[in-house]
Amino acid sequence: MSLLTSAEVTHRPTGAHGKHPGRLGESRRGSAYAGLMVSEREVLESVPTQLWIGGPVPATGGGTFPVHNPATGEVLTQVADATPEDAVRALDAAVAVQAEWAARPSRERGEILRTVFEQITARAEEFALLMTLEMGKALPESRNEVKYGAEFFRWFSEEAVRVHGRYLHAPSGTGRIMVHKQPVGPCLAITPWNFPLAMGTRKIGPALAAGCTMIVKPASATPLTMLLLAKLCSEAGLPDGVLSVITSSRSGAVTQPLLDDPRLRKLTFTGSTEVGKKLVEKSANGLLRTSMELGGNAPFVVFDDADIDAAVQGAMLAKLRNGGEACTAANRFHVQNGVLEEFTSKFVEAMAEGVTLGPGTDPNTTLGPLINEEQLDTVSELVEDAVAVGAKLRLGGKAPGGPGWFYPATILSEVPPQARILREEVFGPVAPIVGFATEEEGIAAANDTEFGLVSYVYTRDLDRALRVAEGLESGMVGVNRGVISDPAAPFGGVKASGFGREGGTEGIEEYLSTKYIALS
Ligand code: NAP
């Protein structure tokens, strides 16, 4: 089979219009294609590029590091490169205002969060374009993330006033029991590049609602969105020091003094399992409270009795949301043998017709570039490995080449069990398909992974749906749905996907400690 597919044919390389859409100084070009009311230059100029510690401040020593546009490889701008001393300055600022922030009436805290929600929503196009520029995703994906990310401020503005305790008489008759919830204290959040806004707001919203202060260390690939958010929070009335953003190219060195400082009370991390394990180890010394949102390897299980067209639609979402660079992305498709070929051929057709690879700022683009060259190499290697051990390439499978880090929508069928792609998180637009015979075999195959973030199941049989959902070893299950993320629901994993929950009524608990007051 030819490696040249429709996904490649529809690839629009960066500069397809004879210009680089991401280049600075080209007012309204690129973004104008997408009908935006804001230009790339305006957006980039509105972002503070210094650290945010009670306002914009340069890094000690004045160091900076570059932020690249994944669609072109070009440098978008330089941001301050925090030192360990800067991190301690941010903690000093957080500690200085912690008591005052915790003492603010929860209604007032909630109202500031609500204002931030409104401000992000009002400036949605700016945030969307900024994320597309620094992360690469197609603009519609960025717009969806703005809505999703902003919602954590609205949801937790409402939750702020619903932190309840308990009061009861001791059954023994010896006294009264009062249970009281208090903010944990200063927190450190470390976030990944794949959702530059939402992975921050999912932590900032509940922390601030609970009365905690927070320092955010965003991914070095995508620091701009968090810096813009910090500025906007300040404009919305958030007191100085409550939220700091320290951007750095040396994440380990910069966060170490914070993990060693007894004034820090909580670490919340979203990122790879490998880094999460290191951070748990490092935080053991201070017995820091931790939440870990780690990697995934989501199975997408389709039974013979499923609505196959709906399953294909769900598969498109579960695979291609965020260009496949999502911890919730379906990583393996387990399809019952009776519908294996029907599902595979319809999925190939839907991907071939429905995906246009190109720069995220182009209005025709539905699939943007990968984040960087390393990620492009990883995705390419996983596909090559699968083909080498016998998988059949049904679509895509070959990077079109630069500029930018593009990889086409790709489908592999008959993937043998030894293929690395079935065990490792691919983090790209690649769908490996495997058949199974019985329900037990399907569940066992889905659970055959160290990870346990999310699973997807397609079946028309309600009994089976519940039975399978209960049997799947993951923190979340989507039944006949390809997207499950919802700020009102508890998001999180089991096994090597981590612990802790974000969103829902559970999300704020991560930032609260329980105090028992004994009364006579
Ligand atoms: P990553 O390499 O683990 O990095 C995540 C964050 O940790 C970044 O800010 C990174 O900084 C920082 N970091 C790296 N090494 C560190 C160290 N030694 N000490 C302190 N901080 C350190 O992950 P990623 O590549 O950005 O993101 C992709 C991963 O995140 C995937 O595995 C994905 O599944 C996972 N993820 C999970 C969820 C979830 O909710 N479960 C959500 C989204 C993503 P630098 O950028 O400077 O390296």
Side-chain angles (χ1 to χ4, degrees):
M1 174 179 198
S2 163
L3 290 188
L4 191 66
T5 66
S6 51
E8 286 171 61
V9 172
T10 52
H11 169 239
R12 302 165 71 94
T14 305
H17 305 286
K19 315 244 163 60
H20 285 280
R23 187 176 291 158
L24 268 171
E26 295 180 8
S27 182
R28 295 188 192 279
R29 186 178 303 129
S31 54
Y33 286 121
L36 284 163
M37 298 306 291
V38 60
S39 74
E40 294 163 14
R41 175 190 275 270
E42 282 161 353
V43 167
L44 288 167
E45 284 178 354
S46 72
V47 180
T49 52
Q50 298 190 319
L51 309 176
W52 193 275
I53 307 174
V57 290
T60 305
T64 61
F65 67 94
V67 182
H68 293 94
N69 180 345
T72 63
E74 291 175 352
V75 173
L76 285 169
T77 185
Q78 298 275 337
V79 296
D81 199 356
T83 63
E85 295 75 39
D86 295 322
V88 175
R89 273 160 78 196
L91 183 57
D92 291 343
V95 170
V97 293
Q98 174 58 56
E100 195 188 323
W101 180 243
R104 281 286 279 270
S106 57
R107 176 70 74 201
E108 284 182 29
R109 291 200 302 265
E111 275 165 5
I112 292 174
L113 291 180
R114 172 78 198 198
T115 306
V116 178
F117 160 74
E118 283 162 7
Q119 287 300 311
I120 299 175
T121 306
R123 294 171 67 174
E125 288 296 274
E126 263 177 84
F127 273 100
L129 180 55
L130 186 59
M131 283 196 283
T132 290
L133 288 175
E134 66 174 343
M135 188 273 174
K137 67 179 87 180
L139 266 172
E141 293 283 346
S142 292
R143 290 184 177 120
N144 285 340
E145 183 181 346
V146 175
K147 275 194 203 136
Y148 175 60
E151 190 58 36
F152 287 98
F153 278 89
R154 176 157 66 175
W155 175 259
F156 285 107
S157 75
E158 294 158 352
E159 290 297 286
V161 296
R162 305 197 206 298
V163 174
H164 304 301
R166 219 159 70 235
Y167 174 84
L168 67 152
H169 288 266
S172 60
T174 49
R176 298 171 179 86
I177 294 167
M178 200 166 104
V179 181
H180 178 54
K181 301 276 175 148
Q182 291 183 309
V184 167
C187 305
L188 169 64
I190 303 179
T191 57
W193 49 262
N194 62 340
F195 291 98
L197 179 68
M199 295 304 100
T201 60
R202 228 159 65 164
K203 300 177 185 306
I204 300 166
L208 269 45
C212 297
T213 53
M214 181 166 261
I215 302 161
V216 182
K217 206 294 297 166
S220 50
T222 57
L224 301 177
T225 303
M226 261 312 108
L227 287 168
L228 182 61
L229 179 70
K231 181 177 159 199
L232 194 139
C233 287
S234 173
E235 289 165 3
L238 192 70
D240 289 352
V242 174
L243 175 68
S244 294
V245 176
I246 49 168
T247 50
S248 180
S249 65
R250 291 154 296 177
S251 47
V254 155
T255 51
Q256 189 65 52
L258 300 182
L259 301 177
D260 291 340
D261 193 319
R263 296 176 301 165
L264 188 80
R265 297 296 163 79
K266 159 111 194 170
L267 166 67
T268 170
F269 173 74
T270 298
S272 61
T273 297
E274 188 191 350
V275 174
K277 283 181 183 171
K278 274 192 213 159
L279 288 171
V280 169
E281 254 182 71
K282 285 183 177 192
S283 52
N285 218 13
L287 288 174
L288 212 52
R289 257 182 83 169
T290 54
S291 303
M292 293 283 144
E293 297 284 352
L294 308 178
N297 181 8
F300 188 101
V301 186
V302 183
F303 287 98
D304 281 347
D305 60 17
D307 175 337
I308 298 304
D309 292 331
V312 167
Q313 261 186 3
M316 291 288 286
L317 284 170
K319 184 66 257 181
L320 293 176
R321 177 170 170 254
N322 218 44
E325 292 175 306
C327 52
T328 51
N331 211 55
R332 304 165 282 144
F333 292 78
H334 296 279
V335 184
Q336 205 162 11
N337 291 334
V339 290
L340 181 57
E341 190 42 46
E342 182 190 355
F343 174 84
T344 304
S345 50
K346 285 184 169 173
F347 193 17
V348 169
E349 199 185 319
M351 273 234 201
E353 285 175 5
V355 180
T356 303
L357 183 65
T361 46
D362 189 313
N364 297 308
T365 294
T366 54
L367 178 63
L370 297 170
I371 187 70
N372 55 31
E373 194 169 357
E374 194 189 345
Q375 191 56 28
L376 179 59
D377 289 346
T378 304
V379 172
S380 306
E381 272 170 32
L382 287 172
V383 171
E384 280 160 23
D385 167 79
V387 172
V389 295
K392 301 274 174 294
L393 189 61
R394 301 285 289 257
L395 184 75
K398 189 172 182 299
W405 299 298
F406 293 92
Y407 198 86
T410 296
I411 296 183
L412 297 158
S413 65
E414 295 167 61
V415 181
Q418 67 271 32
R420 281 172 52 202
I421 201 163
L422 297 181
R423 317 229 155 258
E424 297 175 31
E425 192 179 23
V426 62
F427 239 56
V430 182
I433 305 178
V434 192
F436 67 88
T438 64
E439 185 179 306
E440 293 68 30
E441 214 183 289
I443 296 173
N447 286 340
D448 187 17
T449 169
E450 63 173 315
F451 296 100
L453 188 62
V454 59
S455 310
Y456 302 92
V457 184
Y458 272 77
T459 173
R460 284 193 176 100
D461 179 338
L462 182 60
D463 283 343
R464 167 177 270 170
L466 292 175
R467 203 166 52 233
V468 174
E470 284 167 7
L472 287 168
E473 295 168 357
S474 58
M476 302 173 286
V477 180
V479 176
N480 296 326
R481 278 181 60 169
V483 175
I484 50 100
S485 299
D486 188 323
F491 186 106
V494 297
K495 296 163 71 178
S497 293
F499 44 81
R501 292 295 179 266
E502 295 188 325
T505 51
E506 290 81 357
I508 200 164
E509 291 294 333
E510 302 282 324
Y511 299 93
L512 293 167
S513 59
T514 300
K515 182 176 275 177
Y516 154 47
I517 302 173
L519 301 165
S520 54

